[in-house]
Amino acid sequence: MKEIKLGVNIDHVAVLREARQVNDPDILQALYTACENGAEQITIHLREDRRHIQDSDVKNILQFSKVPVNLECSINKEILDIVSSFKPHRATLVPEKREEVTTEGGLDVFSYENEIAYAIEQLHDSTIPVSLFVDPSIEAMEQSKKLGAEMVELHTGLFANLFAMLNSSLPYSNHSVKELEFPRHELSNKLEEAIQQIKLSAQYANKLGLQVAAGHGLNYHNVHEMMKINEITELNIGQSIIARSVFTGLAEAVKEMKRITSR
Ligand code: PXP
């Protein structure tokens, strides 16, 4: 089995800071704590609306991180210019809508193929390797390869939602996923299909020579399913680690995620 790299997404530390427009909690303290306790990569998203990570955070994190920094961004020209000038260890292109709560669904690598190809070229010109955050499908893997990416990150949101609707209190809460309110046996079948879809996509991408990551909605309860897929060599996890850190502290939360994602 190949080793799996744990990327810790610390955007939510900046969410808390921006909620009060103060310098607390300190994002650099989060960086050091995550790195000292098992993070092998730091993932941050410089959003167009700067709702959490700011340009100065990117600069400081790049300067002080002891592990590679994976910078997520949209294909907006202004953002790409900024990302190119920062030269992170990798850029991950993600779709972005102003009104969304989080990144919903993968990049549409077909409708925006010219824009994405141009973005990849620009980032490559600045010697930045590129990953595309895509929904798991054979077609999306082929297209990502064709567009020139080195890597894909498979969007695990559907899998995570199905898992939670089946195995947690989510369906009984205000945040139940309405479009997934199926009888349990149907949910169970759909979950198996979603896992299979991720597995086949990961295997296919690997055959094409793409590196394969996975992320979105992964947590302490569902991540074991992704660990069974050998072709996935990296996980990017944010929400569940930062949520747990409220109760255990960030050091313990990262350590525990590293423990259960060690093969
Ligand atoms: N990977 C990518 C590309 C993302 O956009 C996000 C969400 O910001 C994550 C991973 C982490 O997702 P989560 O916060 O649900 O763990």
Side-chain angles (χ1 to χ4, degrees), residues 53-180:
I53 294 293
Q54 308 296 311
D55 301 47
S56 55
D57 293 325
V58 180
K59 182 172 173 286
N60 292 335
I61 288 168
L62 279 166
Q63 187 178 349
F64 294 110
S65 179
K66 296 205 178 351
V67 297
V69 177
N70 172 33
L71 182 54
E72 297 176 12
C73 66
S74 72
I75 54 172
N76 170 288
K77 175 80 179 93
E78 190 192 318
I79 288 283
L80 285 170
D81 286 347
I82 295 170
V83 170
S84 299
S85 73
F86 278 131
K87 294 197 194 304
H89 300 84
R90 186 203 301 143
T92 297
L93 297 178
V94 302
E96 206 176 292
K97 286 190 239 122
R98 296 265 160 145
E99 62 282 8
E100 71 192 354
V101 174
T102 179
T103 313
E104 293 159 2
L107 264 182
D108 183 344
V109 282
F110 297 98
S111 307
Y112 297 101
E113 63 176 345
N114 293 335
E115 291 86 345
I116 295 169
Y118 185 80
I120 294 175
E121 208 180 299
Q122 177 175 349
L123 292 163
H124 281 174
D125 283 347
S126 296
T127 68
I128 304 166
V130 181
S131 178
L132 301 181
F133 189 40
V134 286
D135 290 322
S137 76
I138 297 298
E139 296 76 16
M141 301 306 109
E142 269 169 355
Q143 182 75 345
S144 300
K145 179 72 185 173
K146 190 183 124 192
L147 293 176
E150 283 81 20
M151 183 163 192
V152 285
E153 179 168 339
L154 303 178
H155 194 301
T156 50
L158 175 63
F159 153 75
N161 280 341
L162 287 163
F163 191 98
M165 290 296 280
L166 194 60
N167 298 302
S168 80
S169 59
L170 185 66
Y172 311 102
S173 77
N174 292 339
H175 303 299
S176 174
V177 185
K178 294 277 172 265
E179 63 273 23
L180 297 182

Side-chain angles (χ1 to χ4, degrees), residues 36-52:
E36 276 164 17
N37 289 283
E40 292 146 316
Q41 170 170 281
I42 290 295
T43 293
I44 46 175
H45 183 174
L46 185 67
R47 291 187 74 103
E48 290 165 30
D49 61 11
R50 306 299 199 276
R51 69 172 70 158
H52 40 57

Side-chain angles (χ1 to χ4, degrees), residues 2-8 40-43 68-70 72 90 92 131 151-154 156 211-215 218 223 226-227 229-237 261 263:
K2 283 191 203 141
E3 267 300 300
I4 202 148
K5 182 196 272 186
L6 175 62
V8 176
E40 292 146 316
Q41 170 170 281
I42 290 295
T43 293
V69 177
N70 172 33
E72 297 176 12
R90 186 203 301 143
T92 297
S131 178
M151 183 163 192
V152 285
E153 179 168 339
L154 303 178
T156 50
Q211 286 174 265
V212 186
L218 299 180
V223 74
M226 297 299 107
M227 300 296 301
I229 304 175
N230 283 337
E231 288 76 12
I232 296 176
T233 55
E234 175 182 311
L235 302 170
N236 289 302
I237 307 180
T261 57
R263 285 174 166 156

Side-chain angles (χ1 to χ4, degrees), residues 15-30:
V15 167
L16 196 53
R17 180 194 63 192
E18 294 302 310
R20 287 296 289 268
Q21 308 261 299
V22 289
N23 194 23
D24 189 25
D26 181 351
I27 195 95
L28 288 181
Q29 200 172 343

